[in-house]
Amino acid sequence: MTASVFVINAGSSSLKYQLVEVASGEALASGLIERIGETTGVATHEVPGREDVTEHRVISDHEHAFGWVLQQFDRHGPDLDGANLLGIGHRVVQGGARFDRAVRIDDDVAQQIDDLAPLAPLHNPANLQGIRSARATFAGYPHVAVFDTAFHLTIPPAAHRYAIDATVAAEHRIRKYGFHGTSHQYVSRRMAALLGRPLEEVNSIVLHLGNGASATAVRGGRSVETSMGMTPLAGLVMGTRSGDIDPGVIFHLHRVAGMSVDEIDTLLNKRSGLLGMTGTGDMRDVQQAADAGIERAVEALEIVAHRLRGTVGAYLAHLGRTDAIAFTAGIGENAAAVRAAALEGLEGLGIVIDAERNAGRGERRISADGSAIEVWVVPTNEELEIARQVAALVAPSVVE
Ligand code: AMP
């Protein structure tokens, strides 16, 4: 009999879900509910091979959203009772220094996710809202939290500690946590499989380039360095986030430009990156503008590539020996020009891109035959990774 996991990603006003068949990795259904709590919400339920259902309606809260979801499964399938649901997997952004793996949610775990809210004020409270509503809706099923940070808890102290007053750091839990861990874990594991070598023997650099972007150095299946920090603001240039910036800029903006902390927070998280530099946070539009010769778009792409190249260079040094570089997520999987620019001029370090392979589609090697370090495009699948981790925890025999 097939076994499935219901995967949930709850935001403050949104709810994304996918029913994943564990063995095949297929999505049996997926959906997205947006503008929860606003005057009109939008809800979509998709079942492969059937027409999508979209409704514009008021959705007052997350529990209400789950009610709508159950109704769609009832009306449009698939039959949840026939799906042999093993459990519910919840994406949780911040697991702190405590959660180094997926964990079954009980009241104590829910409380700890709440306690971590100061470290992820935008995400953990929303994730917890999703958890509370889902536990009420899917009572009787095991609920599992899968943390974005967990994969990175293997990063050694030299890489995860900041060079600040140790007492302040300890008191306020200030350290690098890293994010996108589920994706980095999935892609690095897949990378080893594609190379046909045991995970323990493969060193790779994973470049997750989407709206949010992060790089991770993975040694033998364990994260040893990553570009995001205590928050997802650090590191690479993103859709609306600045990535790395001299912290002194923040004092300057406050003292000299008269901006409040909240204004600076919004500036760096929501109005910077591609959006701040070009007026659009969408890489496709930036590329189009650059192709049309708009100077600031051309420049933005150069900044993106410069930051990527520097990160790859640093991670080559941290790993010592690197077998492969994997590009993933919206930009990593689709933007050939970004991949080419990021690795341009690295032939001397054993990285040679094949232009024709780079221009192709789907999961594939894009490095030239003689490239000492293989370069791949590996589509990520965070829902499947979450589903597998849930199954491994609640029904190990299913994933053996
Ligand atoms: P994600 O957060 O993984 O969904 O990635 C979103 C980002 O991927 C956005 O900046 C999109 O513009 C970008 N993206 C998606 N498809 C393409 C494409 N064909 N070419 C360039 N960028 C793309």
Side-chain angles (χ1 to χ4, degrees), residues 182-217:
T182 311
S183 176
H184 288 295
Q185 186 169 13
Y186 174 86
V187 172
S188 54
R189 198 185 292 155
R190 179 82 192 134
M191 193 63 257
L194 289 164
L195 295 177
R197 291 171 54 190
L199 181 61
E200 298 71 30
E201 289 176 12
V202 173
N203 293 350
S204 61
I205 297 172
V206 179
L207 301 170
H208 177 113
L209 312 179
N211 252 325
S214 66
T216 297

Side-chain angles (χ1 to χ4, degrees), residues 210-211 281-284 287 329-331 334-335:
N211 252 325
D282 192 295
M283 180 54 88
R284 280 164 292 205
Q287 286 188 318
I331 296 168
N334 298 300

Side-chain angles (χ1 to χ4, degrees), residues 16 180 208-212 239 274 281-287 328-336 338 361 380 382:
K16 216 170 140 184
H180 290 147
H208 177 113
L209 312 179
N211 252 325
L274 294 178
D282 192 295
M283 180 54 88
R284 280 164 292 205
D285 298 337
V286 177
Q287 286 188 318
T328 197
I331 296 168
E333 291 169 30
N334 298 300
V338 173
R361 297 193 70 76
T380 193
E382 291 170 273

Side-chain angles (χ1 to χ4, degrees), residues 191-192 195 197 202-206 216 218 316 319 321-327 372-376:
M191 193 63 257
L195 295 177
R197 291 171 54 190
V202 173
N203 293 350
S204 61
I205 297 172
V206 179
T216 297
V218 184
L316 291 174
L319 288 172
R321 188 207 83 228
T322 303
D323 301 295
I325 297 173
F327 283 92
I373 297 173
E374 294 196 13
V375 184
W376 285 72

Side-chain angles (χ1 to χ4, degrees), residues 177-349:
Y177 292 103
F179 299 89
H180 290 147
T182 311
S183 176
H184 288 295
Q185 186 169 13
Y186 174 86
V187 172
S188 54
R189 198 185 292 155
R190 179 82 192 134
M191 193 63 257
L194 289 164
L195 295 177
R197 291 171 54 190
L199 181 61
E200 298 71 30
E201 289 176 12
V202 173
N203 293 350
S204 61
I205 297 172
V206 179
L207 301 170
H208 177 113
L209 312 179
N211 252 325
S214 66
T216 297
V218 184
R219 176 181 289 128
R222 293 157 71 87
S223 170
V224 292
E225 177 59 294
T226 195
S227 61
M228 283 179 169
M230 184 182 96
T231 74
L233 181 56
L236 302 172
V237 176
M238 310 184 212
T240 65
R241 293 182 213 138
S242 60
D244 281 349
I245 194 168
D246 174 357
V249 170
I250 295 165
F251 313 135
H252 181 84
L253 288 171
H254 180 61
R255 295 192 186 120
V256 180
M259 294 176 74
S260 71
V261 169
D262 285 343
E263 283 168 344
I264 300 169
D265 190 332
T266 304
L267 175 77
L268 298 182
N269 272 300
K270 304 227 165 92
R271 289 174 40 216
S272 294
L274 294 178
L275 177 68
M277 291 188 290
T278 70
T280 169
D282 192 295
M283 180 54 88
R284 280 164 292 205
D285 298 337
V286 177
Q287 286 188 318
Q288 228 170 29
D291 290 344
I294 294 172
E295 191 56 33
R296 56 185 190 164
V298 174
E299 243 178 53
L301 291 178
E302 285 170 1
I303 295 168
V304 166
H306 178 87
R307 189 86 53 96
L308 276 166
R309 210 174 304 129
T311 305
V312 168
Y315 290 8
L316 291 174
H318 289 316
L319 288 172
R321 188 207 83 228
T322 303
D323 301 295
I325 297 173
F327 283 92
T328 197
I331 296 168
E333 291 169 30
N334 298 300
V338 173
R339 291 192 298 262
L343 301 181
E344 194 184 305
L346 301 188
E347 294 79 7
L349 297 175

